Amino acid sequence: MIITGSFNGINYMKKILNYINGEYCEPISGAWIDNFDPSKGEVYSKIADSNAEDIEKAYQAAKAAFPSWSNTTIEKRSNILLKIASLIEENLDSLAYAESLDNGKPLSLAKAVDIPRASSNFRFFGHAITQFASEAHESVGLNTMNFTLRQPIGVVGCISPWNLPLYLFTWKIAPALAAGNTLVAKPSEVTPMTAYLLGDLCTKAGLPKGVLNIVQGTGPSAGQALVAHPNIKAISFTGGTKTGEHISRTAAPMFKKLSLELGGKNPNLIFADCNYDLMLEVTLKSSFANQGQICLCGSRIFVEKSLYSTFKNDFVKKVRTLKVGNPFDKDTNIGALVSKPHLEKVKSYIELAKEEGGKILCGGNLVTVEGSENGYYLEPTIIEVFDNQCRVNQEEIFGPVVTIMPFETEEEALQMANNVKYGLSATLWTSNIDRTMRVSKQLEVGIVWVNTWLNRDLRTPFGGVKNSGIGREGGFEALKFFTETKNVCIKYE
Ligand code: TXE
């Protein structure tokens, strides 16, 4: 089925076009790729299969728009961003619907999290840019004054993934625009719809032509051309670690600025002295929110031995109450996984777990949803593992699958938490402040949550260490990334 109708005033065209120089346009090659509705496993629209020529066209538009946009007053830039934020809010229902349809996530989640956050991203950076300042260093006694300029880089590239489509797309483009850059941005080919709809809202908000160019298409074609473009001097990327590695290789010889937010295999450390009920409730979310397809999900759960069997029983009981179903059903907790290949990848890890000696405590099976029999549904799965070195505990699965394992001492918990190639986030459950400090300092990650999860203040630095990436985004960190720093040293008599 191809959707050609409209929902709350926004058209679902059967073709998802590029947005270049303020206009929707077809890919130069005339090639299209299928776009699937994961809840039904059916093609419902076509995406522009863009290539290097489309990237060049977008680059030329962005280049032409740069002199004017970079010299636009902060107040005007800020106002346009705030207007985009308001338009996203006004279109909450339609955008949430589009996100669920494209991604398979529960509509309730898209309404409560994805779309409000996309709006907040624009609102936050619309305000942040008005407060962004730079330093001055007076060399006292030497009659010298230094001041630091933070100037927009020029044309920058943003590449985003499919798990939180509009949320992560706007997380990059809002600061890049606020800082005065012009952009070529590529959303994931798996979930192109909301980025496509955003183009129209940017036009309505008065964003000048060419400032934001959205090119649809695959990673190897459009994405690769964007990263390889010699005049696009900075790339902000969120996606898989392998892709990040490839992007680094392409970009390094051109000395591009890179911000890479990659995979995770995040530990949850649960100590017996925690607030048990709160921990249980939040652990359910940190394990299975968005079908477990969030780079911040806590996929390795380590529990202090004295609490282990109680936790195991209660957690299994709770997880069994989660309803897997059509994303548009009100009582659905877990929707469809994003694509068939991804479903197959996640399922293969469940099979691997069995081979590795893991014990499936609940879930593990595909789910057939009535009326959506070809959708990509999987039961939320808990695997008890006995060795932190097994592959299911070392590799990113990125689905509704968590492992649990006991630990005896704080040292052992830390050692297992850190013994992995990733280092994005960790969640710690304890009521002991000394332990909080000790463990937080020793965890090899970029973000630690204590007695909470996915609690985000947009001013805070966000990003990982080790194979989870390089660089930090969020707050002024993002504005720093999207600007070039220049020191001006003045000697006076
Ligand atoms: O992501 P890709 P995939 C992890 C997760 C998942 C795995 C693979 O484990 O199973 O990555 O997912 C673009 N040059 N995460 O393959 O390919 C691509 O078009 C430039 C974690 O779907 O990394 C898309 O826009 N761009 C993650 C974006 O990269 C390229 C979120 C991400 O897709 C490119 C998603 C190339 N050569 C997956 N190849 C997180 N950190 O949140 C691909 N792309």
Side-chain angles (χ1 to χ4, degrees), residues 160 162 186 189 219 223-224 237 239-240 243 246 262 295 345 396:
S160 58
W162 45 257
K186 195 199 86 62
E189 64 273 35
Q224 177 66 23
F237 168 80
T243 314
H246 181 81
L262 311 176
C295 52
K345 173 192 152 179
E396 188 180 41

Side-chain angles (χ1 to χ4, degrees), residues 158-164 168 186-190 217-228 235 237-244 246-247 250 261-264 293-296 338-339 342 345-346 395-399 422 424 468:
C158 298
I159 301 175
S160 58
W162 45 257
N163 55 334
L164 300 163
L168 289 175
K186 195 199 86 62
S188 169
E189 64 273 35
V190 185
T218 67
S221 180
Q224 177 66 23
L226 174 50
V227 176
I235 301 286
F237 168 80
T238 298
T241 293
K242 272 215 160 72
T243 314
H246 181 81
I247 287 176
T250 308
E261 203 268 282
L262 311 176
Q293 301 167 143
I294 304 181
C295 52
L296 302 162
V338 76
S339 68
H342 190 59
K345 173 192 152 179
V346 175
E395 298 176 17
E396 188 180 41
I397 301 176
F398 215 65
Y422 295 105
L424 188 53
S468 293

Side-chain angles (χ1 to χ4, degrees), residues 333-352:
N333 303 113
I334 299 200
L337 270 69
V338 76
S339 68
K340 193 152 195 235
H342 190 59
L343 175 74
E344 281 161 4
K345 173 192 152 179
V346 175
K347 186 76 174 67
S348 75
Y349 272 101
I350 297 172
E351 300 313 316
L352 175 68

Side-chain angles (χ1 to χ4, degrees), residues 22 42 87 116 167 169 176 197 204:
E42 287 172 1
L87 285 169
Y167 176 132
F169 190 63
L197 297 173
K204 288 196 171 112

